[in-house]
Amino acid sequence: MRRSPADTAQSARKISRRALFLGGSQLAFMGILGLRMRYMQVDQADEFRLLAEENRVKFRLLPPARGLIYDRNGAVIAENEQTFRIVIRKEDASELDQVLVELERLIGLPLEEQERVRAELKKAGPSAPVTIADRLSWEAFSSVSANGPALPGVTPEVGLSRHYPLHDDFAHLVGYVGPVSDYDLSKMDNIDPLYRIPKFQIGKSGAESRLEDVLRGKAGSLRVEQNAYGRIIRELDRHEGEPGVNLQLTLDNNMQNFTQARLAGESASAVIMDVETGDILAAGSTPAFDPNLFVRGISSVAYNELLENDHRPLPSKSVQGAYPPGSTFKMVTALAALEAGVVTPEDTVRCMGYTEIGGRRFHCWKRAGHGNVNMVGSLRHSCDVYYYEMAQRAGIENIAEMGRKLGLGLRYDLPLPGINSGLMPDKQWKLENRGAEWVVGDSLNAAIGQGFVLATPMQLAVMTARLATNREILPRMIKSIDGVEQNILGGAPLGLNENMLRSVRQGMFEVINSNRGTAFSARIEDDTTKMAGKTGTAQVRSAVVNNNNVPWIERDHALFVAFAPYNAPRYAVSVVVEHGGGGSSVAAPIARDLMLYALHGAVPPLAAYPSSQRGTIRERFKAMPLRDLDGDESTRGRA
Amino acid sequence: MSYLESTLKTIPTGLSKVLYVNWALVLLLSAAASVGFLMLYSNAGGSFQPWAEPQMKRFALGMVAMLMIGMVPIWFWRNIAGLAYIASFMLLIFVEFFGHVGMGAQRWIDLGPIKLQPSELMKISLVMLLAAYYDWLDIDKVSKPLWVLIPVVLILVPTALVLNQPDLGTSILLIAGGAIVMFAAGVSWWYFAAVAGIAVGLVSAVFASRGTSWQLLKDYQFARIDTFLDPSTDPLGAGYHITQSKIALGSGGWTGRGFMQGTQSRLNFLPEKHTDFIFTTLAEEFGFIGGISLLALYAGIVLFCLVSAMNNKDRFGALVTIGVSATFFLFFAVNMSMVMGLAPVVGVPLPLVSYGGSAMLVLLAAFGIVQSAHIHRPRGKR
């Protein structure tokens, strides 16, 4: 390797030239790198900063706590309970397989649930949470929380879920909530962003549904900084939402519980109302169901059972059930005739057991006839023939007008779904809906609450309250919203002639308190709480037969309406027992029990009952499935 | 008396060698490594563990090794160049059969405290062997086809082994590093032009091979190329690295978010934040100023090496210096292009800054040879 100096010098020169060229190229490339750096970090800096911010900061909605629902005495009807669940978001679910295996080990997440999570993640948006497991036990929840590092992307969340501590009692009034569905969303014009939260609870029926906007509250927001694994590093800021507004209902939870218990076993409904304010103290409907089942998502088996039950547990019969009012309608006919001036209370009508019109016989329920009856007597005996006569004298228009004046055929503004407006027919109605002329036979049927006439238990209670007060009472179910007392609706004088009204009330009094009255067995012994009322037996089929020999579904409906105390009315009550048989034997005793409970604010004392009935009554109360109430009676006084 | 013998007398001996060390280069290397310590400290959330402290220890060890290597006369390194190449080659074959598999590639031998990557050793051995080859070869034979073919084989055989591991990044560095030594030695421009032409053909062939039975690259390598060409197609999948890297870098702005204030790197958006993507931490926390400063340090290192090579009349010394500096240049050029979205993601660390044991030690050892060439360069009488 000896080289001549010339060679060495030539080699060194060549290397230097090439080295210079290399150095130049390298510098040029570094220049490109520098320019690129400048372009990204200076020219495009804002854009990348924005992307960096999006990377880091996540926006979350904070669901507000739903407003609570109380009864008139402050007992909780609907509350929120803490639930523990774990969720995952698509953008954080890069290691889903590992996570699911780990969760199977930790909390025994079943395979079909794992498949559901996979399927839901496929459909979900990148930052929408998908629930992996809901309603976890505290143990399972804390083991998931403790193993956070092994579960990238899994977020433990403490949520609130609706709970109805009184179970069945308010199912038909307060209703229930359930996870928001596509169907719910399709009905809305303006979708609250909260509804985009999967499984967000929305009112599905009853007051929960009608007052959804009040109860829901406003969403809060939370900005968090998180790392690439979706773990929250810290909260940047938090805007608490507004919790939903609390509601207080006019309902009394003890009264409601007693009502449900008293109606248990029947397909029945009852309404108890304050005659002064229109406050509904209880509105029973049996059979009922546990709304908590719907909150959790009811199984199709259980739901089908509810649907197929011939006693129809799902509808609120107090407002959704429209029945022929039967003889409880006779006060309307009587007042219509009195107001029209076609009869006086003292005028008598001779009942032969039937009336013949155009060759067709209209029978009285008592085939033998009542003989001469005046207004009071006609109510006491519930004589049909008297009212056939009144119908012919007053005409359907007067009767329909009086019916509407007393609250029939009207739709009340109550926070309940599917309210039935009943039916108070007149000539025009028949022409429009049946395409036929009104005939006098229609009037005769209407006069005794049959034919086309339909009324709900709620309407019958309103009618009774109006008869008791001569004022335009309207039902009220919401006592206060957010502590603000709601206006009492209506209450204006009806303007009925007090003297005429008095004779009708007298008739109602004798129904119960005269030993010849149809509901004498349902009398109250206590002189200060005497009850006035009217029985009704609504025919389901055209032919009158012995109710004991026909299938349940073909038996007559038993009805009863009443108010008490007779001298200073406080409460009105209506009872409908579907296919219960006679109003006097089935509905009246129920109405009496409810009325006494309302008047006493507790299970009625036996002293209020006729001594011969006390044994039976005691046994009945003992057997009633009443909720275990607190021992201290005084705390449950009327508000 | 030959030229070499006449100049040998001017070469420092004994302890006086210390005075002739290229101290400016030592300073620049230390400065660049310090940037690395700072970034590793920041990435660990303000802690010397787990990265900064081991890295500092290794750097200290590497600096000692560099100076010791530098003290050894350059002709010793020239003489063992062939041996070093054969040893590296044997290790590459060894790792093929007994190596540890990590990150989908078979790359290192576990030597207890150190994981030895023979491909790292090969980078420097190859440069040494090529420099020795051209030192030996007559100057007028340099561009003769047969004498060109020999170094090409010397480059391609180990490259094939590395590509088989598979390690695309190192393969590219081996070829490019070897080619630069050949270029510096004076191989005719025409060969490089021809190779460039062939390379274009080869790239077309690689793409044509996709999905066939003779597929030349692994699927993940194709995926990396795809996402390099269009990162937005798979922002949470294979394109994630590039997208996140660009976001972190771009969000730095002029002066950055400040030391330890980087959100993107600290919050784990960046993959391999302490190794291949460490530059993004620097760029995010110190902005354009920080990034360009490191680039300037690197440029200084490369330029000092080139100046040293140009002043070195010893052919081996000059060529090995150019080879080492070129390899160093290729490291940071490929790495920075990658994090800035100018090149596909290949596993190439940022030299002196990325966390990693054997890469830093081998690099400092290579600079030791550069120092040796510098200290023992023939000095003409002026």
Side-chain angles (χ1 to χ4, degrees):
Chain A
M1 281 190 267
R2 300 281 181 267
R3 288 211 181 92
S4 68
D7 266 6
T8 309
Q10 189 205 343
S11 151
R13 272 201 306 281
K14 182 142 211 168
I15 289 176
S16 289
R17 279 205 305 274
R18 292 272 166 120
L20 267 177
F21 177 81
L22 273 175
S25 314
Q26 288 172 347
L27 278 180
F29 193 82
M30 284 188 257
I32 292 172
L33 288 178
L35 285 174
R36 171 76 177 175
M37 221 187 290
R38 206 197 109 94
Y39 172 68
M40 287 175 75
Q41 296 195 284
V42 179
D43 299 345
Q44 288 190 311
D46 292 343
E47 198 178 307
F48 282 119
R49 274 207 185 243
L50 203 67
L51 287 171
E53 199 71 3
E54 281 174 12
N55 239 347
R56 182 170 75 92
V57 176
K58 290 283 152 79
F59 185 79
R60 298 270 152 91
L61 279 181
L62 290 174
R66 196 172 174 85
L68 304 181
I69 301 177
Y70 298 99
D71 87 333
R72 67 184 295 118
N73 302 317
V76 175
I77 299 172
E79 62 190 0
N80 302 313
E81 62 176 6
Q82 273 195 336
T83 58
F84 303 109
R85 62 164 177 258
I86 50 173
V87 301
I88 193 165
R89 292 172 173 78
K90 195 185 207 165
E91 59 190 0
D92 306 331
S94 53
E95 288 162 70
L96 186 63
D97 293 337
Q98 182 212 320
V99 163
L100 290 178
V101 168
E102 188 67 14
L103 281 175
E104 191 176 355
R105 191 181 68 77
L106 277 174
I107 59 167
L109 190 70
L111 277 173
E112 60 266 25
E113 283 296 288
Q114 299 184 18
E115 286 314 306
R116 176 190 59 79
V117 171
R118 278 177 213 281
E120 283 187 22
L121 274 175
K122 267 195 196 104
K123 289 187 290 175
S127 60
V130 167
T131 306
I132 302 174
D134 205 355
R135 296 182 183 276
L136 286 171
S137 69
W138 171 247
E139 288 74 27
F141 184 71
S142 44
S143 82
V144 168
S145 302
N147 285 280
L151 299 166
V154 174
T155 317
E157 286 185 355
V158 180
L160 291 174
S161 179
R162 205 58 153 173
H163 181 244
Y164 303 100
L166 306 180
H167 299 277
D168 298 25
D169 285 356
F170 289 90
H172 295 112
L173 301 169
V174 167
Y176 51 86
V177 300
V180 64
S181 66
D182 292 341
Y183 174 70
D184 294 328
L185 293 177
S186 71
K187 288 189 298 184
M188 297 176 199
D189 307 326
N190 221 337
I191 295 174
D192 191 298
L194 278 171
Y195 291 143
R196 301 290 186 196
I197 298 176
K199 302 221 168 151
F200 185 81
Q201 292 181 337
I202 180 176
K204 296 277 188 178
S205 85
E208 291 273 29
S209 168
R210 279 289 301 276
L211 291 160
E212 168 67 20
D213 291 342
V214 177
L215 289 166
R216 183 178 59 239
K218 289 202 174 64
S221 66
L222 176 65
R223 285 201 317 140
V224 293
E225 179 172 331
Q226 54 171 217
N227 67 12
Y229 306 125
R231 288 250 161 261
I232 291 171
I233 304 293
R234 65 193 164 111
E235 270 184 34
L236 294 176
D237 58 14
R238 175 190 271 267
H239 295 287
E240 290 296 347
E242 284 175 37
V245 162
N246 293 344
L247 288 185
Q248 187 170 29
L249 303 180
T250 61
L251 301 164
D252 178 301
N253 89 88
N254 293 328
M255 179 84 231
Q256 178 72 18
N257 179 250
F258 182 84
T259 306
Q260 287 294 111
R262 185 66 184 85
L263 298 176
E266 301 281 1
S267 173
S269 174
V271 174
I272 303 99
M273 179 185 283
D274 185 310
V275 296
E276 291 297 327
T277 59
D279 283 5
I280 303 160
L281 295 182
S285 179
T286 55
F289 57 90
D290 187 350
N292 293 309
L293 290 176
F294 286 84
V295 178
R296 281 161 206 199
I298 191 167
S299 73
S300 58
V301 175
Y303 187 66
N304 279 333
E305 234 166 67
L306 290 176
L307 275 181
E308 284 162 14
N309 188 334
D310 65 353
H311 282 39
R312 292 176 296 122
L314 290 173
S316 306
K317 292 177 183 128
S318 60
V319 292
Q320 290 181 22
Y323 309 91
S327 300
T328 59
F329 187 77
K330 283 176 180 165
M331 284 80 83
V332 175
T333 311
L335 274 173
L338 288 170
E339 288 280 321
V342 295
V343 71
T344 65
E346 291 74 30
D347 290 351
T348 59
V349 171
R350 185 166 182 79
C351 170
M352 308 284 288
Y354 64 88
T355 295
E356 199 169 287
I357 288 171
R360 190 177 155 203
R361 280 191 176 186
F362 288 80
H363 288 280
C364 183
W365 66 271
K366 192 175 179 186
R367 292 300 170 103
H370 290 96
N372 285 325
V373 286
N374 63 5
M375 173 141 301
V376 171
S378 74
L379 284 169
R380 180 174 61 227
H381 298 302
S382 198
C383 174
D384 292 337
V385 168
Y386 181 88
Y387 292 94
Y388 296 149
E389 179 63 24
M390 292 306 119
Q392 293 174 74
R393 291 192 195 172
I396 187 63
E397 294 305 322
N398 280 327
I399 293 173
E401 196 195 323
M402 182 55 66
R404 283 190 278 269
K405 207 163 191 175
L406 291 172
L408 301 181
L410 302 179
R411 197 169 184 287
Y412 305 132
D413 182 31
L414 286 170
L416 296 169
I419 294 178
N420 195 314
S421 54
L423 183 59
M424 191 59 250
D426 55 19
K427 289 177 179 169
Q428 195 185 349
W429 172 87
K430 193 182 179 194
L431 205 59
E432 281 170 8
N433 290 277
R434 295 293 156 101
E437 288 289 335
W438 188 269
V439 295
V440 71
D442 294 332
S443 297
L444 265 56
N445 278 329
I448 60 163
Q450 296 280 164
F452 299 120
V453 185
L454 291 173
T456 64
M458 184 64 69
Q459 288 173 329
L460 292 176
V462 170
M463 175 189 83
T464 311
R466 291 184 178 188
L467 286 170
T469 57
N470 195 9
R471 289 197 293 126
E472 190 192 357
I473 301 302
L474 282 170
R476 185 177 82 142
M477 208 176 100
I478 300 170
K479 186 165 158 54
S480 67
I481 296 178
D482 202 14
V484 178
E485 186 81 17
Q486 297 298 291
N487 288 333
I488 291 169
L489 304 162
L494 274 180
L496 298 175
N497 184 309
E498 260 311 317
N499 286 330
M500 297 172 180
L501 203 50
R502 201 172 297 128
S503 62
V504 171
R505 289 181 194 142
Q506 176 66 31
M508 291 171 75
F509 180 81
E510 292 196 8
V511 165
I512 298 171
N513 296 293
S514 157
N515 58 10
R516 290 177 298 159
T518 52
F520 181 62
S521 63
R523 68 194 176 278
I524 293 173
E525 286 293 270
D526 180 0
D527 277 346
T528 62
T529 55
K530 287 286 182 195
M531 192 161 72
K534 182 73 193 77
T535 56
T537 302
Q539 275 175 247
V540 174
R541 303 176 318 146
S542 51
V544 179
V545 285
N546 185 340
N547 276 314
N548 292 326
N549 297 335
V550 295
W552 177 77
I553 197 73
E554 292 180 2
R555 292 182 200 164
D556 297 341
H557 296 321
L559 296 93
F560 196 76
V561 298
F563 65 86
Y566 175 68
N567 294 322
R570 284 174 63 197
Y571 301 111
V573 60
S574 68
V575 174
V576 176
V577 180
E578 290 186 359
H579 312 294
S584 55
S585 58
V586 177
I590 296 175
R592 174 175 61 177
D593 289 347
L594 300 182
M595 184 60 84
L596 281 170
Y597 193 103
L599 289 166
H600 287 92
V603 176
L606 289 175
Y609 294 89
S611 52
S612 60
Q613 298 173 11
R614 287 175 192 166
T616 337
I617 301 284
R618 186 191 294 119
E619 292 310 307
R620 180 191 296 148
F621 286 166
K622 215 175 270 177
M624 264 168 66
L626 277 178
R627 193 171 56 239
D628 203 12
L629 302 170
D630 298 342
D632 190 359
E633 300 276 317
S634 62
T635 58
R636 292 187 286 108
R638 298 263 71 79
Chain B
M1 199 173 73
S2 76
Y3 168 77
L4 196 59
E5 281 161 14
S6 74
T7 55
L8 263 182
K9 296 191 183 75
T10 65
I11 291 172
T13 54
L15 276 178
S16 65
K17 282 182 183 179
V18 174
L19 297 174
Y20 292 87
V21 167
N22 192 342
W23 287 110
L25 190 60
V26 172
L27 206 67
L28 287 169
L29 291 173
S30 303
S34 301
V35 171
F37 305 150
L38 221 57
M39 290 305 104
L40 291 173
Y41 178 82
S42 169
N43 265 342
S47 164
F48 284 105
Q49 296 294 346
W51 301 310
E53 193 184 306
Q55 179 87 341
M56 288 163 94
K57 283 181 180 158
R58 270 196 294 264
F59 180 71
L61 187 71
M63 286 308 272
V64 170
M66 178 183 89
L67 291 173
M68 279 166 61
I69 290 168
M71 297 300 135
V72 178
I74 187 66
W75 44 89
F76 172 79
W77 299 116
R78 183 191 64 205
N79 292 344
I80 67 152
L83 213 61
Y85 180 84
I86 289 168
S88 303
F89 190 74
M90 300 307 280
L91 284 174
L92 268 183
I93 290 181
F94 179 79
V95 87
E96 194 82 347
F97 297 106
F98 305 106
H100 286 258
V101 175
M103 306 286 288
Q106 202 170 40
R107 286 176 186 171
W108 62 69
I109 300 168
D110 204 339
L111 293 180
I114 293 186
K115 291 188 182 99
L116 184 68
Q117 283 198 43
S119 60
E120 301 280 351
L121 279 181
M122 183 46 93
K123 274 178 218 156
I124 193 69
S125 313
L126 181 65
V127 166
M128 283 167 69
L129 182 66
L130 290 175
Y133 171 80
Y134 284 109
D135 185 44
W136 164 81
L137 192 66
D138 277 350
I139 289 159
D140 30 315
K141 287 183 186 160
V142 163
S143 291
K144 294 275 191 320
L146 182 67
W147 302 105
V148 170
L149 191 65
I150 290 169
V152 166
V153 171
L154 290 176
I155 294 169
L156 288 185
V157 171
T159 301
L161 282 175
V162 172
L163 197 57
N164 196 37
Q165 282 181 349
D167 186 348
L168 188 60
T170 308
S171 310
I172 292 168
L173 290 190
L174 279 174
I175 291 179
I180 287 175
V181 175
M182 289 174 73
F183 176 80
V187 175
S188 168
W189 289 93
W190 292 110
Y191 287 102
F192 295 98
V195 167
I198 291 168
V200 171
L202 204 66
V203 168
S204 319
V206 163
F207 278 99
S209 78
R210 187 170 192 175
T212 66
S213 55
W214 50 282
Q215 188 163 308
L216 293 173
L217 294 180
K218 294 244 167 171
D219 283 337
Y220 83 91
Q221 290 169 323
F222 274 120
R224 281 183 176 184
I225 294 171
D226 282 349
T227 54
F228 161 66
L229 294 174
D230 189 3
S232 61
T233 51
D234 189 10
L236 286 176
Y240 183 77
H241 289 193
I242 288 180
T243 311
Q244 296 301 324
S245 167
K246 284 166 79 174
I247 289 174
L249 203 138
S251 62
W254 265 108
T255 53
R257 292 179 190 269
F259 185 48
M260 309 231 312
Q261 300 300 307
T263 56
Q264 302 301 295
S265 40
R266 197 158 57 84
L267 301 179
N268 286 332
F269 288 106
L270 280 169
E272 300 166 59
K273 58 181 179 180
H274 60 292
T275 59
D276 292 358
F277 284 87
I278 195 166
F279 185 70
T280 53
T281 305
L282 176 73
E284 193 192 0
E285 297 191 355
F286 291 102
F288 178 68
I289 305 288
I292 211 79
S293 303
L294 183 67
L295 197 60
L297 280 178
Y298 281 153
I301 289 169
V302 169
L303 287 182
F304 269 86
C305 287
L306 286 177
V307 168
S308 168
M310 287 194 288
N311 287 332
N312 198 337
K313 295 198 171 59
D314 177 31
R315 200 167 157 76
F316 175 77
L319 287 177
V320 91
T321 303
I322 290 172
V324 168
S325 73
T327 304
F328 180 77
F329 167 80
L330 288 168
F331 265 117
F332 73 76
V334 171
N335 180 279
M336 285 187 176
S337 304
M338 172 177 96
V339 299
M340 288 185 215
L342 291 174
V345 174
V346 288
V348 174
L350 192 62
L352 298 172
V353 176
S354 284
Y355 179 80
S358 66
M360 173 176 257
L361 282 175
V362 169
L363 195 67
L364 288 173
F367 276 109
I369 294 170
V370 168
Q371 291 287 9
S372 172
H374 187 75
I375 293 166
H376 302 99
R377 71 182 183 275
R379 288 162 172 82
K381 294 176 188 115
R382 290 176 195 250

